[in-house]
Amino acid sequence: MAISKKMLWGGSIAAHQCEGAYKTDGKGLGIMDVVTAGSASAPRIFHGEVEEGQVYPSHYGIDFYHRYKEDIALFAEAGFTALRISIDWARIYPNGDDAAPNQAGIEHYRDVIMELRRRDIEPIVTLFHFEMPLNLVKKYGSWANRETIQLYLRYCETMFTEFKDIVTYWSTFNEMNHLDADLLLSDFFTYMNTGLCYSKVENPAKVMAECAYNMTLASVKAINCGHRINPDFQIGCVFGITPSYAKTCNPDDSILAYKNMERDWYQIDAMCKGAFPEYKLNEYRKRGIETKISEEDKKEYADSKLDFIGVNYYASSVSSAQESDDDGENFFGASNNPYLRQSDWGWTIDPQGLRYLLMMLDRRYNIPMIITENGLGAFDQKEQDGSVHDQYRIDYLKNHLDELKKSINEDCVNCFGYLMWGPIDLISATTGEMKKRYGFIYVDQDDEGNGTLERSKKDSFYWFRDYTKNW
Ligand code: BG6
């Protein structure tokens, strides 16, 4: 089956942020099940296990595990033709290395997928969205160990085989590009992908480079495995990219901006260009990190065919080679852009940055793309009558969609869909808060997990339905 010719419209959610039911039907503990709630000013804390008296938001989510039918009905009413979900690896192989998969976990996801199909919503399935059995970190040392690749492949093979006839679109990973030899942002960004904190491992640059390399190889092998099981599968990988502008016309700023972006390309290069890029191997070598690539692995890279790139876009950043910068730093550790506003959580709002990014990706890779995440985390006020007047969210989405339209119509970019992040309010990944809301659908729950969980439609719900109908 070829990539959809009709634009897909919908949203993206992730298991650990919405399902809850963290022990139900045989699920094992995942790395996000031991991360506490935090806030914009108080970082989330990683415990190696569940500690008494702490709040762990993944344990309750928004109870999507039990309410998925009601929520999918709302998505259908909002005009969705696609929904990106993630499968929690620990529901399928609770410890990651179990002898056999957990049938109850498989059946749960089959039910969710069939419910989407019943509503004419195309399921887009992410196989790893920061959801990894905790046991793989403790027993194997996470992705730094190549055995983890084999265990991941076995899990992927189980999913590809079980859902061969009901899922077409897959993504091997979500945002593994946040992992690199350098600590880019904070411990949290290495933790989400590996269950390991950069600041707490010995020789972090080496460990993180190994993890990033092994995940890249795992993705390539999973793409090849999926295509063998069903050649009609469309298998992509999702990257979270923050394009960087040079602060001034000083060439130092341009070189820094290029370097900051290069980190986001090398894994895509490895999946599309037939080999793991030599420039990255050289960078590793300069750090004293030797990467062993067997003949068999070389063949996997040569055979790899990434069917699409999933683009998560929230913000742009600014690269400044100057040591001190009057404009201050934003959430992503880069300089602020004085021409642009920021969200309440300090994320730069830049609709044109989406167009800039899509052009770069299209010219560099020339394969189909889909916007897999984009949206505004904001404080919402629910009125007495249940309404939420979120004009700020409508403005954000409309401005981005207007730029997407220009990308497609004027820049001839090949983009086959737009999935906004968090169509229903869910737990924030970076802060663990509930009050950082993205949804078209309001969920009655606070940061401690108290509330009725009742769902109600915001103004943006109706706006999205009408906007996409008239696109
Ligand atoms: C993306 C992640 O990077 O950002 C999502 O893929 C996440 O899981 C989203 O939720 C928004 O971030 P946050 O911290 O506002 O939830």
Side-chain angles (χ1 to χ4, degrees):
M1 192 190 289
I3 290 267
S4 175
K5 289 223 164 29
K6 244 168 102 186
M7 188 79 173
L8 295 175
W9 290 109
S12 282
I13 54 178
H16 73 278
Q17 291 170 263
C18 69
E19 286 179 350
Y22 83 111
K23 286 204 280 200
T24 306
D25 291 336
K27 179 184 170 305
L29 269 191
I31 56 176
M32 296 305 283
D33 292 330
V34 291
V35 184
T36 63
S39 70
S41 51
R44 303 184 76 177
I45 297 167
F46 326 102
H47 295 128
E49 51 210 31
V50 175
E51 287 183 9
E52 198 69 25
Q54 301 282 351
V55 178
Y56 298 100
S58 73
H59 294 193
Y60 46 83
I62 54 161
D63 196 30
F64 183 74
Y65 193 84
H66 296 110
R67 295 169 190 250
Y68 69 88
K69 285 195 181 151
E70 181 196 340
D71 294 342
I72 290 172
L74 286 167
F75 296 148
E77 196 187 326
F80 281 24
T81 54
L83 184 76
R84 173 173 165 248
I85 58 169
S86 72
I87 291 184
D88 191 325
W89 185 352
R91 285 198 194 280
I92 309 302
Y93 287 97
N95 299 295
D97 59 355
D98 313 74
N102 171 31
Q103 207 53 41
I106 296 176
E107 292 321 315
H108 171 73
Y109 287 113
R110 193 189 312 282
D111 291 347
V112 174
I113 291 164
M114 290 314 290
E115 187 62 22
L116 288 169
R117 289 239 162 268
R118 210 170 66 76
R119 297 270 182 191
D120 288 329
I121 296 178
E122 185 73 46
I124 300 178
V125 175
T126 303
L127 290 156
F128 185 104
H129 192 130
F130 316 145
E131 288 120 5
M132 178 179 202
L134 189 61
N135 179 52
L136 294 182
V137 180
K138 296 193 166 181
K139 190 167 158 191
Y140 296 83
S142 183
W143 289 103
N145 184 340
R146 291 206 179 195
E147 267 186 75
T148 303
I149 301 179
Q150 289 317 317
L151 295 166
Y152 170 77
L153 284 176
R154 198 173 55 130
Y155 152 64
C156 291
E157 191 176 351
T158 305
M159 295 295 86
F160 289 145
T161 311
E162 288 287 344
F163 303 144
K164 186 157 83 77
D165 302 318
I166 54 175
V167 174
T168 301
Y169 295 88
W170 300 89
S171 168
T172 53
F173 285 94
N174 177 68
E175 297 192 352
M176 61 156 122
N177 58 303
H178 291 324
L179 205 59
D180 201 6
D182 286 316
L183 169 63
L184 301 183
L185 301 161
S186 69
D187 268 350
F188 193 61
F189 283 84
T190 60
Y191 183 89
M192 285 197 290
N193 274 304
T194 62
L196 302 171
C197 295
Y198 190 93
S199 67
K200 296 198 181 109
V201 292
E202 232 176 89
N203 203 347
K206 181 167 183 289
V207 172
M208 293 310 158
E210 282 168 356
C211 285
Y213 176 83
N214 288 343
M215 288 174 89
T216 309
L217 179 59
S219 177
V220 162
K221 288 187 167 193
I223 293 167
N224 294 339
C225 163
H227 284 144
R228 280 193 297 274
I229 290 170
N230 184 349
D232 286 341
F233 279 165
Q234 298 296 330
I235 310 178
C237 189
V238 169
F239 298 88
I241 308 183
T242 305
S244 197
Y245 305 131
K247 171 101 183 174
T248 68
C249 51
N250 182 334
D252 286 347
D253 288 356
S254 294
I255 288 179
L256 186 65
Y258 187 90
K259 285 272 175 207
N260 283 339
M261 296 227 47
E262 192 172 57
R263 257 188 217 117
D264 292 324
W265 304 145
Y266 78 95
Q267 292 165 322
I268 317 181
D269 286 351
M271 289 174 218
C272 289
K273 295 193 168 178
F276 190 85
E278 203 53 41
Y279 64 82
K280 199 67 187 173
L281 293 173
N282 281 332
E283 184 194 311
Y284 289 162
R285 265 179 219 125
K286 281 193 196 130
R287 290 173 173 273
I289 306 165
E290 273 308 319
T291 313
K292 286 193 196 77
I293 308 186
S294 67
E295 287 309 309
E296 193 192 323
D297 291 350
K298 282 189 188 153
K299 186 163 176 346
E300 293 277 3
Y301 287 115
D303 292 347
S304 166
K305 182 188 164 285
L306 189 69
D307 292 314
F308 66 89
I309 299 171
V311 181
N312 291 355
Y313 174 78
Y314 290 91
S316 61
S317 77
V318 172
S319 296
S320 167
Q322 299 298 313
E323 292 228 327
S324 70
D325 186 347
D326 295 343
D327 290 316
E329 271 195 2
N330 66 14
F331 170 84
F332 294 99
S335 305
N336 280 329
N337 190 326
Y339 298 99
L340 298 168
R341 283 186 309 114
Q342 293 183 356
S343 77
D344 293 333
W345 272 262
W347 295 26
T348 305
I349 300 175
D350 179 13
Q352 283 174 292
L354 175 63
R355 183 173 174 195
Y356 177 68
L357 173 61
L358 289 179
M359 235 184 307
M360 275 195 286
L361 287 168
D362 182 76
R363 307 312 189 245
R364 190 171 169 120
Y365 299 107
N366 191 25
I367 64 171
M369 289 183 284
I370 176 168
I371 310 304
T372 34
E373 289 182 29
N374 174 236
L376 178 70
F379 296 106
D380 284 337
Q381 174 66 43
K382 187 172 159 189
E383 307 297 339
Q384 292 267 308
D385 63 359
S387 58
V388 177
H389 304 303
D390 56 344
Q391 188 58 42
Y392 38 91
R393 184 168 291 108
I394 296 174
D395 293 343
Y396 178 101
L397 295 171
K398 179 173 183 313
N399 291 339
H400 282 77
L401 282 164
D402 287 349
E403 291 301 318
L404 176 61
K405 203 178 247 175
K406 287 185 203 155
S407 293
I408 295 172
N409 295 343
E410 294 176 31
D411 309 332
C412 302
V413 150
N414 182 359
C415 178
F416 66 97
Y418 177 88
L419 312 174
M420 59 81 78
W421 171 253
I424 182 164
D425 294 343
L426 36 65
I427 307 290
S428 155
T430 51
T431 68
E433 292 167 305
M434 191 66 207
K435 65 173 172 292
K436 188 180 186 190
R437 296 173 183 273
Y438 284 86
F440 298 141
I441 301 163
Y442 188 91
V443 175
D444 181 40
Q445 181 171 252
D446 67 17
D447 286 343
E448 279 74 46
N450 306 308
T452 62
L453 287 173
E454 194 197 352
R455 279 56 169 153
S456 47
K457 299 169 204 165
K458 304 181 194 175
D459 289 356
S460 56
F461 178 97
Y462 303 101
W463 172 83
F464 187 77
R465 184 195 56 191
D466 298 341
Y467 181 94
T468 55
K469 224 186 269 168
N470 302 315
W471 164 267

